[in-house]
Amino acid sequence: MADFRTGTELVTSSECADHYDPCPVNEAEENQPHLQGVTGLRNLGNTCYMNAILQCLCSISPLVEYFLSGKYINALQKDCSEVATAFAYVMTDMWLGDSDCVSPEIFRSALGNLYPVFMKKTQQDAQEFLIYVLNELHEALKKYHQRKAYEKRSIPRCCRKMIANESSIITRLFEGQLSYSIVCLKCENCTYKNEVFTIISLPIPSEYECSLQDCLQCFFQQDTLTWNNQIHCSFCETKQEAAVRATISKVPKTIVFHLKRFDILGTMKRKLRTDIHYPLTNLDLTPYICPIFRKHPKYNLCAVVNHFGDLDGGHYTAFSKNSVTQAWYSFDDTRVSEIPDTAVQTAAAYLLFYSCQPFSIPTQKCKT
């Protein structure tokens, strides 16, 4: 799976507003039945970014079911199985355990063995962390296929999908493809470039208020490449200015939008606190999809990562919709509470998870 990041931004590591967070004991709730998939996570020392991502992935039923059912075991690559196995343990604790709060220490240790930065007690960017997690799960669970360049030649070049030589539960759920049409402004020759994605990073066109559709329109609008960004035209045989436009030629079942709130220009850095209005249901991506692939239903929101604070310190939380209760919950490390639909819309949203299919309750492996 290609590690393609559209306009990825890096947030510098810094001390976070959170700290080590032991699981609280609430005597009033001790006798209440524990809800599947509604489990707090201990903060291990500035690990709110990890907890928020795990809570969002925990809400994606097809992914959870793949691990709870034991299907992942047959796909495991022996030389890189530690992260996937640890992820399965955490998902099992969060869905099948009887505790209101669990520790993700085993998962952090597995990922930290590969990327020591995640073992440090410093804040990390949740979007970057998600990319590492998805890549490592894919590497551990991928299967190889006979490689082909493209699908049917009867499909217009601008809409052809690359057929990958490897796939996994991650590519089946999260991987999409962007197709770029590149037109030389001198000779008008048109070429196409395809790139896969697991996250789309969206620019924010306003400092105060806008909608998710405004961000999408800004991302997919035609752009002109000039000066140092000129492309080499094979017809003109020299660098020329060009017009570039992107469309989605493969739509993932679960699409993740990264709202580019952190703006770093040289030594100047700031956080955009724009209030971005995003729909909870019926997100329409039709205008941005290659016409022959406009068959997907509209998308519904299933999880949100929120960021509070600024670049030099902050805190991550998550909202997710539970497939058992069909209710929304707020996850702030060990603190979990049910929230109304109206509370899901906040100006702190940083990552948005949308799905084009309704989630059913994950099933576990039958006990023998």
Side-chain angles (χ1 to χ4, degrees), residues 4 150 157-160 162 177-183 190-196 225 231 244-249:
F4 178 65
Y150 290 95
R157 284 188 300 161
C158 62
C159 295
R160 289 177 189 162
M162 294 186 294
Q177 179 179 284
L178 292 171
S179 293
Y180 295 90
S181 63
I182 307 169
V183 179
C190 185
T191 58
Y192 298 94
K193 179 182 179 182
N194 295 318
E195 290 187 295
V196 298
L225 303 181
I231 56 100
V244 180
R245 184 185 293 275
T247 57
I248 302 175
S249 54

Side-chain angles (χ1 to χ4, degrees), residues 10 13 28 98 102 113 143 175 178 184 209 227 229 231 241 263 275 297 315 319 322 348 357 362:
L10 179 63
S13 299
D98 54 9
V102 298
N113 288 337
K143 292 185 177 180
E175 190 174 273
L178 292 171
C184 174
E209 186 176 10
W227 297 97
N229 294 320
I231 56 100
E241 294 185 350
D263 187 15
D275 190 2
H315 182 61
F319 299 149
N322 183 267
Q357 58 185 19

